[in-house]
Amino acid sequence: MLYKYHVVLLKDDVIITDKYYKADEKPDNDEYKKLISQTGADEVVLNTIDDDPLNSIIKETIDIENL
């Protein structure tokens, strides 16, 4: 099974946990809110595996203040 999305949850710059999602399961704001409430994370990073091998991973920090 291949995953397209990797969400990393951090607190005080330490990885608490991470989750993997298939291409048809891209996490949305509700999913981020749920994960934050479960873990107490203060930072969320979404890594997307790009289809273009030259851009293998796209890193995006999620603005949790505006969820």
Side-chain angles (χ1 to χ4, degrees):
M1 179 181 317
L2 296 177
Y3 295 100
K4 174 98 175 155
Y5 304 103
H6 174 232
V7 175
V8 181
L9 298 144
L10 301 109
K11 183 166 184 149
D12 299 325
D13 295 324
V14 176
I15 296 173
I16 300 170
T17 190
D18 58 349
K19 302 277 184 179
Y20 294 88
Y21 299 86
K22 297 181 218 171
D24 60 346
E25 299 175 339
K26 183 176 182 178
D28 58 11
N29 287 349
D30 290 333
E31 181 70 7
Y32 298 135
K33 288 177 189 176
K34 180 181 88 174
L35 293 170
I36 291 167
S37 71
Q38 289 174 347
T39 63
D42 58 17
E43 185 177 356
V44 178
V45 176
L46 173 64
N47 296 309
T48 302
I49 310 304
D50 198 334
D51 295 329
D52 179 0
L54 297 177
N55 298 325
S56 60
I57 297 177
I58 301 166
K59 180 179 178 181
E60 175 186 355
T61 301
I62 303 302
D63 183 6
I64 62 173
E65 299 296 322
N66 293 315
L67 289 178

